[in-house]
């Protein structure tokens, strides 16, 4: 029997399916498809697989498939357009996948947040409304209850994952430092160094191995979550495999002594948990609930909202700040927000904190509560009753400290940007051996820095003696001071107490040890703080971007706290202990906020996070002034670190406002044209050839013979076409291939439920086999096409089109004239500032015709 078969070496289409390395093809599979047919097979069947033979297609096939003969053919598989000031040879492979090994993708897709209004979708909704008529408990209420229940599960699981990470990290670090301190107290420094190096190298190797197994587990994951919430479809970002590698890897990253935190990765972990719970399935573990209540949420829009809730829960788990988590998801994460999503995010974050509260206090039989966050700032309080810890005139000093933090943050971001560019070229993601080797090398360097500077500080400082004014917190912190060769009962090493301890303890020591101003009353002297701050922030800059799961919050907070305490200490020395200035711990808190604000450029959410972490409302105004100043000063030089990394990875992220150059530019200057399109009724052969000849995701459905006056009736997506082909929703063959008659009324052969069940793993046309009889059948697209697509005029400004795509989460925007004739199509990449500039300079325009045949995939 004559058959047509496409290559089977393809990847599933879902956004969270694992990316498989392209294997080397044999000679038989060198063409995009394989033909198993007799010599009697028509040439048109063969030509669908070879664009070089496109001229052999009949006129009818060319018209129906949108392959016009008046325009030159160009390479459809060009690299993705690069951002300005971004090298085009940077490795982007971890964000791309291909539906076919013969046609590899060099770009990423977009998510589809808008529902297609097809005839079968309207029938589906009408049937549901008819079933609910007269009922008190409707499907809508069932769906709302299921949505709240799943949100509760997301919050609970995020809290449990946070507890597992925190407990594991604490136990590992406690064992490591206990061993090192014992050896150092015995004056056996060389053995102590070897032991510390061995521990750190082992832990760094495990963390790097997790990132090698799943490259997207490296880093904090916040840029990737921001892109996902912006509408960019990044494969494997929200997979369970990514969660396991992220959670397990960040535990050992922190334990390895690298200047990294587990708070940033918790945002990514919460997002993955939310995505998995909302879908009720896992490709990693191979299970599917097949439950109707989950199918209602198997859409890009629902999944996006759950991911936003998970990100808020991650921040709540990290800092014990549920309100700050909601604001973080709103300010820094989500690009689409609503009042209902605010309630759900708040509920999810609340459930996370409640889970931490219950589990962490189960040991004391639910008596008085203990700290419930992963990273504790300790207890803040007023040093003088009914008075704040700072004077009003010191607000100007806090503003200056914020400006310095913004400047330091700009330097940090600038240096890290150049380091990341170097890594992309010399330590690419595709080279796992180099990535692991770099992580081990950085861990070795950090070990030498921490141990070397601790050993170089030979001064032994007398331990503070507690008095009646001391709190229990300060007494406990005295016990955490590291002796490192000094008398462990009466003395300690200032530098070792910051380097050779966990970041949680170090930052609390900087925040809460009171300072009188005299050298004898200082817990940490100026020299010790300088010796810690400069190498630590340098190593933090080097570490962020290494192939291990790591966060930015802790290095920023800890280095900023050291810098702020240093300034407070200097002012106390100048004042000679007269009590003019606030306590150095206050300046440490403001310095921590300034440094993190200067790097991440967060304001509202970070203010609330720090307030919830400190529990002291007296710092509201100082934190607001500091963070706003840090943002303003930092933005004078560059962007926030997360935005820098998004741009360097060449991801088509749409900012909230359109670029300034889009105000006076018309849509017709940047739209893609001519557009591949389909008729209302086409043959299976035409659809198969079209889908195999390009990677487009959307195809306008048109009527008319004049190529310059094609009436736009709607659009139909690749996934629906592939589902129709897979389900054999065919009609009878036409009497004449050149003249396909349309029936007056054609019933739908598949329902909306059948379409929805496919999400997100839609069929792949490359895997399908068709007989010649099937290829001659017809497909009536009218019941399945979107009859109300969003459109824009060619004369509209690019700014207006940008607002439509950005605010409504559109994947495509069809361009039609005043007669509704098809003129072009707009996608996410057509609206990027870099591409708009290229269009202005004519880099993508064909001479004379003004037409530009480009890939319109997104």
């Amino acid at each position: 029997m004559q058959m047509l078969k496409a290559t089977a070496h393809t990847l599933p289409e879902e956004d969270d399916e694992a990316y498989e390395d392209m294997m080397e093809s044999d000679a038989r599979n060198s063409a995009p498809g394989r033909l198993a047919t007799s010599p009697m097979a028509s040439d048109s069947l063969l030509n669908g697989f070879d664009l070089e033979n496109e001229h052999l297609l009949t006129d009818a096939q060319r018209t129906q498939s949108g392959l016009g003969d008046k325009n030159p053919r160009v390479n459809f598989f060009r690299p993705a357009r690069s951002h300005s000031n971004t090298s085009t040879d940077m490795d982007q492979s971890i964000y791309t996948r291909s539906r076919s090994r013969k046609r590899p993708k060099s770009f990423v897709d977009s998510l589809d947040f808008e529902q297609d209004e097809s005839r079968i979708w309207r029938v589906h909704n009408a049937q549901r409304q008819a079933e609910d008529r007269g009922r008190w408990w409707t499907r809508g209420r069932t769906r709302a209850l299921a949505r709240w229940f799943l949100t509760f599960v997301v919050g609970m699981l995020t809290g449990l994952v946070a507890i597992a990470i925190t407990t594991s990290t604490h136990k590992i670090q406690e064992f490591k430092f206990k061993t090192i301190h014992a050896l150092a107290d015995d004056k056996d420094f060389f053995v102590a160094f070897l032991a510390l190096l061995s521990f750190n190298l082992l832990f760094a190797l495990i963390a790097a191995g997790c990132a090698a197994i799943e490259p997207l587990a490296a880093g904090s994951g916040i840029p990737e979550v921001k892109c996902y919430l912006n509408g960019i479809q990044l494969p494997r970002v929200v997979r369970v495999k990514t969660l396991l590698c992220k959670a397990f890897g960040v535990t050992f990253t922190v334990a390895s002594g690298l200047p990294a935190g587990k708070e940033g990765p918790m945002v990514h972990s919460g997002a993955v948990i939310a995505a998995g719970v909302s879908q009720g399935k896992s490709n990693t573990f191979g299970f599917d609930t097949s439950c109707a209540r989950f199918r209602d949420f198997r859409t890009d829009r629902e999944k996006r909202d759950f991911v936003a809730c998970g990100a808020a829960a991650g921040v709540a788990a990290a800092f014990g700040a549920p309100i700050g988590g909601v604001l973080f998801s709103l300010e820094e994460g989500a690009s689409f927000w609503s009042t209902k999503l605010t309630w759900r995010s708040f509920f999810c974050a609340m459930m996370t904190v409640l889970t931490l509260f219950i589990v962490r206090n189960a040991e004391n039989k639910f008596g008085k509560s203990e700290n419930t966050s992963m990273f504790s700032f300790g207890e803040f309080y007023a040093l003088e009753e009914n008075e704040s810890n700072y004077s009003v005139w010191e607000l100007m000093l806090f503003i200056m400290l914020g400006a310095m933090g913004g400047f330091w943050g700009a330097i940090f971001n600038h240096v890290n940007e150049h380091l990341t560019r170097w890594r992309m070229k010399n330590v690419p993601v595709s080279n796992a051996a180099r990535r692991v080797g770099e992580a081990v090398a950085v861990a070795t360097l950090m070990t030498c820095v921490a141990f070397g500077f601790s050993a170089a500080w030979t001064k032994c400082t007398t331990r503070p003696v507690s008095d009646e004014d001391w709190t229990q917190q300060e007494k406990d912190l005295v016990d955490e001071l590291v002796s490192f060769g000094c008398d462990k009962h009466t003395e300690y090493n200032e530098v070792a107490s910051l380097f050779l301890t966990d970041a949680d303890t170090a930052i609390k020591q900087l925040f809460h040890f009171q300072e009188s101003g005299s050298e004898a009353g200082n817990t940490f002297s100026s020299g010790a703080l300088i010796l810690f701050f400069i190498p630590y922030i340098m190593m933090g800059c080097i570490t962020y971007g290494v192939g291990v799961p790591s966060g930015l919050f802790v290095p920023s907070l800890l280095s900023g706290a050291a810098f702020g305490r240093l300034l407070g200490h200097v002012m106390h020395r100048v004042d000679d202990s007269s009590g003019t200035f606030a306590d150095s711990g206050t300046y440490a808190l403001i310095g921590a906020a300034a440094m993190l604000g200067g790097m991440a450029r967060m304001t509202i959410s970070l203010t609330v996070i720090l307030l919830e972490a400190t529990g002291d409302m007296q710092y509201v105004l100082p934190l607001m002034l500091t963070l706003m100043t840090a943002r303003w000063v930092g933005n004078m030089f560059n962007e926030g670190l997360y935005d820098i990394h998004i741009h360097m990875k060449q991801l088509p992220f749409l900012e909230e406002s359109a670029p300034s150059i889009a105000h006076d530019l018309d849509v017709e200057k940047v739209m893609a044209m001519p557009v591949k399109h389909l008729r209302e009724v086409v043959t299976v052969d035409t659809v198969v050839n079209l889908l195999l000849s390009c990677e487009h995701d959307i195809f306008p459905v048109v009527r008319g013979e004049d190529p310059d006056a094609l009436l736009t009736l709607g659009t139909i997506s690749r996934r629906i076409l592939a589902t129709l082909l897979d389900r054999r929703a065919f009609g009878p063959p036409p009497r004449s291939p050149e003249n396909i008659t349309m029936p007056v009324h054609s019933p739908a052969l598949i329902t909306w439920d059948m379409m929805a069940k496919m999400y997100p793993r839609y069929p792949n046309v490359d895997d399908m086999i068709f007989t010649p009889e099937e290829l001659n059948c017809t497909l009536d697209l009218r019941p399945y096409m979107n009859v109300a697509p969003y459109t824009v005029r060619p004369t509209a400004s690019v700014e207006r089109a940008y607002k439509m795509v950005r605010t409504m989460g559109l994947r495509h925007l069809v361009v039609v004239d005043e007669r509704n004739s098809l003129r072009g199509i707009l996608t996410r990449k057509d609206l990027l500032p870099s591409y708009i500039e290229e269009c202005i300079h004519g880099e993508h325009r064909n001479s004379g015709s003004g037409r530009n045949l480009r890939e319109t995939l997104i």
Side-chain angles (χ1 to χ4, degrees):
M1 182 174 61
Q2 299 172 350
M3 292 183 300
L4 181 69
K5 182 177 180 181
T7 178
H9 299 282
T10 59
L11 298 175
E13 287 191 36
E14 67 271 27
D15 63 322
D16 51 359
E17 185 64 26
Y19 177 83
E20 300 176 2
D21 293 333
M22 299 298 180
M23 298 181 297
E24 187 175 323
S25 62
D26 51 41
R28 295 177 302 171
N29 298 332
S30 59
R34 295 201 301 270
L35 182 68
T37 182
S38 65
M40 298 176 63
S42 63
D43 290 341
S44 62
L45 303 184
L46 180 62
N47 296 335
F49 296 94
D50 192 356
L51 291 178
E52 297 298 334
N53 296 327
E54 181 185 313
H55 63 280
L56 298 178
L57 291 172
T58 64
D59 293 338
Q61 290 171 325
R62 295 170 61 81
T63 302
Q64 292 172 348
S65 63
L67 297 174
D69 58 351
K70 297 181 180 180
N71 298 287
R73 183 181 60 83
V74 299
N75 182 14
F76 286 99
F77 316 114
R78 66 195 314 159
R81 305 185 195 103
S82 61
H83 293 267
S84 57
N85 300 325
T86 305
S87 175
T88 58
D89 59 353
M90 291 183 179
D91 188 8
Q92 199 190 19
S93 60
I94 62 171
Y95 297 115
T96 58
R97 56 168 171 72
S98 175
R99 296 188 183 98
S100 171
R101 66 192 290 255
K102 300 302 175 184
R103 292 176 279 117
K105 279 190 176 181
S106 58
F107 44 82
V108 293
D109 287 340
S110 291
L111 298 171
D112 205 350
F113 296 148
E114 281 297 317
Q115 180 63 59
D116 286 346
E117 294 190 2
S118 61
R119 187 196 304 172
I120 60 173
W121 177 77
R122 292 181 175 179
V123 170
H124 170 77
N125 281 349
Q127 290 176 345
R128 284 197 165 188
Q129 292 176 5
E131 293 173 359
D132 289 341
R133 192 169 301 155
R135 294 182 179 180
W136 174 75
W137 191 260
T138 62
R139 287 179 178 268
R141 292 186 174 183
T142 302
R143 184 165 55 252
L145 180 62
R147 186 180 288 111
W148 283 105
F149 173 74
L150 293 179
T151 304
F152 163 76
V153 174
V154 170
M156 181 185 65
L157 292 180
T158 303
L160 294 176
V161 170
I163 291 173
I165 294 175
T166 303
T167 304
S168 302
T169 304
H170 177 72
K171 294 297 183 182
I172 295 174
Q173 286 184 307
E174 183 181 26
F175 174 75
K176 182 185 77 171
F177 287 128
K178 185 177 180 180
T179 303
I180 303 305
H181 296 165
L183 292 172
D185 290 340
D186 293 337
K187 308 295 184 180
D188 201 345
F189 292 105
F190 183 71
V191 177
F193 171 75
L194 293 180
L196 179 63
L197 182 62
S198 300
F199 278 125
N200 290 348
L201 290 183
L202 175 62
F203 298 154
L205 188 62
I206 295 175
C210 292
I213 295 174
E214 178 48 75
L216 283 177
S220 66
I222 293 180
E224 287 75 14
V225 173
K226 284 188 62 174
C227 289
Y228 186 89
L229 294 176
N230 189 257
I232 303 175
Q233 183 177 347
L234 300 178
R236 311 185 328 274
V237 167
V238 290
R239 291 195 65 211
V240 176
K241 178 182 177 183
T242 305
L243 170 64
L244 296 176
C245 292
K246 176 77 81 173
F248 190 75
V250 74
T251 301
F252 287 95
T253 299
V254 176
S256 68
L258 289 172
K262 51 189 180 294
E263 289 69 33
M266 271 310 305
V267 177
H268 191 185
S269 300
V272 177
I273 293 171
V277 170
S278 66
Q279 302 305 293
K281 63 183 295 186
S282 171
N283 295 320
T284 301
F285 296 104
F287 73 84
D288 190 340
T289 61
S290 297
C291 182
R293 65 174 60 94
F294 287 102
R295 287 177 186 166
D296 287 337
F297 307 133
R298 288 181 181 176
T299 63
D300 288 341
R301 178 193 286 267
E302 289 284 354
K303 194 173 183 180
R304 174 200 70 192
D305 291 346
F306 274 101
V307 168
C309 294
V315 176
F319 295 98
I323 301 176
V326 175
L327 293 176
F328 174 86
S329 187
L330 171 62
E331 177 187 7
E332 193 67 18
S335 298
F336 308 93
W337 201 259
S338 64
T339 303
K340 291 183 178 180
L341 184 57
T342 303
W343 300 339
R344 288 172 53 196
S345 299
F346 178 78
F347 177 74
C348 188
M350 179 183 69
M351 289 298 103
T352 299
V353 175
L354 179 62
T355 301
L356 296 173
F357 196 86
I358 293 175
V359 175
R360 295 285 291 269
N361 293 284
E363 296 181 357
N364 59 8
K365 299 180 181 180
F366 306 104
K368 292 185 178 181
S369 63
E370 297 178 357
N371 192 331
T372 58
S373 61
M374 292 177 61
F375 188 83
S376 173
F377 284 177
E379 180 183 357
F380 285 78
Y381 57 91
L383 299 179
E384 298 292 338
E385 188 175 357
N386 299 326
E387 293 184 2
S388 63
N389 292 343
Y390 57 89
S391 302
V392 176
W393 64 268
E394 287 184 280
L395 293 176
M396 293 302 301
L397 297 179
F398 297 155
I399 293 176
M400 294 176 58
L401 187 54
M404 297 174 70
F407 181 72
W408 275 110
I411 295 177
F412 185 99
N413 295 354
H414 178 75
V415 175
N416 184 263
E417 178 182 1
H418 285 274
L419 284 173
T420 304
R421 292 184 186 277
W422 179 87
R423 286 191 177 105
M424 287 180 170
K425 296 179 181 179
N426 299 280
V427 192
V429 177
S430 56
N431 194 326
R434 287 189 182 182
R435 297 263 289 180
V436 174
E438 184 196 21
V440 171
V442 173
T444 302
L445 178 60
M446 184 62 200
T447 302
C448 295
V449 168
F451 197 93
F453 280 100
S454 299
W457 187 264
T458 57
K459 177 184 176 182
C460 291
T461 306
T462 304
R463 288 179 180 267
V465 179
S466 61
D467 54 33
E468 57 183 13
D469 295 333
W470 279 37
T471 62
Q472 185 60 43
Q473 176 179 245
E474 290 175 306
K475 296 177 182 178
D476 294 337
L477 289 176
V478 170
D479 296 335
E480 298 290 342
L481 294 172
V482 179
S483 55
F484 197 75
C486 302
D487 189 301
K488 61 181 180 180
H489 298 292
T490 61
E491 297 175 330
Y492 68 98
N493 185 307
E494 297 179 29
V495 177
S497 297
L498 297 174
F499 270 120
L500 301 181
T501 188
D502 60 275
D504 196 347
T505 300
I507 200 169
K508 283 191 289 188
Q509 289 174 342
L510 293 172
F511 282 166
H512 298 292
F513 275 133
Q514 298 183 26
E515 181 174 310
S516 63
S518 62
E519 189 69 31
N522 295 331
T523 310
F524 298 102
S525 61
S526 300
L529 292 172
I530 294 174
L531 208 57
F532 171 76
F533 168 70
I534 295 178
Y536 188 83
I537 195 173
M538 291 176 60
M539 290 304 304
C541 185
I542 295 173
T543 301
Y544 193 79
V546 173
V548 295
S550 62
L552 175 68
F553 285 93
V554 168
S556 304
L557 290 171
L558 185 52
S559 58
F563 181 69
R565 191 175 181 92
L566 173 62
L567 293 183
H569 172 70
V570 171
M571 285 186 289
H572 274 287
R573 292 296 303 277
V574 172
D575 185 49
D576 196 19
S577 308
S578 298
T580 304
F581 298 96
D583 180 73
S584 294
T586 299
Y587 283 92
L589 174 63
I590 301 303
M595 194 67 69
L596 181 54
M599 295 178 186
R601 311 292 161 78
M602 296 186 295
T603 54
I604 302 174
S605 59
L606 186 54
T607 299
V608 178
I609 288 172
L610 294 177
L611 284 176
E612 290 185 277
T614 58
D616 198 337
M617 290 298 295
Q618 67 172 314
Y619 295 110
V620 174
L621 186 58
L623 289 175
M624 293 174 65
L625 293 172
T626 300
L627 291 172
M628 203 69 237
T629 305
R631 178 182 177 87
W632 283 338
V633 174
N635 285 343
M636 293 174 59
F637 301 97
N638 50 34
E639 296 178 298
L641 191 58
Y642 299 139
D643 295 324
I644 289 176
H645 277 254
I646 289 174
H647 295 158
M648 283 193 297
K649 293 170 183 176
Q650 303 181 16
L651 298 175
F653 187 88
L654 295 182
E655 301 291 346
E656 184 176 2
S657 57
S660 58
I661 57 177
H663 301 317
D664 301 323
L665 192 65
D666 291 342
V667 166
E668 61 184 352
K669 301 298 183 181
V670 299
M671 66 183 182
M673 58 181 182
V675 182
K676 291 180 181 292
H677 54 267
L678 290 168
R679 306 289 174 173
E680 299 168 84
V681 180
V682 292
T683 63
V684 174
D685 180 28
T686 299
V687 175
V688 171
N689 289 338
L690 178 61
L691 295 182
L692 289 173
S693 67
C694 68
E695 289 280 355
H696 297 187
D697 181 77
I698 203 73
F699 303 95
V701 180
V702 300
R703 180 188 298 170
E705 300 300 330
D706 185 358
D708 294 327
L710 296 174
L711 182 64
T712 304
L713 303 176
T715 58
I716 191 166
S717 64
R718 168 182 286 270
R719 60 178 181 272
I720 292 180
L721 291 173
T723 303
L724 294 174
L725 294 175
D726 183 66
R727 295 282 180 167
R728 272 24 181 204
F730 306 152
R735 294 182 179 180
S736 172
E738 289 79 13
N739 186 17
I740 302 178
T741 59
M742 294 185 296
V744 177
H745 177 72
S746 177
L749 301 180
I750 62 175
T751 63
W752 177 256
D753 282 333
M754 299 173 65
M755 290 280 191
K757 289 178 182 178
M758 295 290 183
Y759 180 87
R761 183 179 297 182
Y762 293 99
N764 191 340
V765 68
D766 291 331
D767 299 329
M768 300 178 189
I769 302 175
F770 303 97
T771 64
E773 292 78 11
E774 291 175 329
L775 290 169
N776 290 327
C777 292
T778 58
L779 274 176
D780 191 344
L781 306 181
R782 290 174 293 178
Y784 317 105
M785 69 180 183
N786 180 15
V787 296
Y790 290 95
T791 60
V792 68
R793 294 284 183 87
T795 55
S797 66
V798 174
E799 180 186 16
R800 172 164 293 187
Y802 187 99
K803 290 180 179 179
M804 294 178 64
V805 174
R806 175 62 169 76
T807 57
M808 292 187 291
L810 302 181
R811 187 167 184 173
H812 309 88
L813 191 57
V814 181
V815 183
V816 297
D817 60 16
E818 64 276 3
R819 297 185 301 273
N820 206 39
S821 298
L822 181 63
R823 286 292 172 261
I825 197 166
L826 280 177
T827 67
R828 172 181 292 267
K829 290 187 177 180
D830 298 319
L831 301 173
L832 296 177
S834 58
Y835 177 69
I836 294 176
E837 291 178 357
E838 292 173 358
C839 288
I840 292 176
H841 292 88
E843 294 182 14
H844 280 266
R845 315 305 298 177
N846 291 330
S847 59
S849 65
R851 289 178 172 259
N852 177 26
L853 184 59
R854 295 180 286 104
E855 190 63 270
T856 57
L857 268 153
I858 296 300

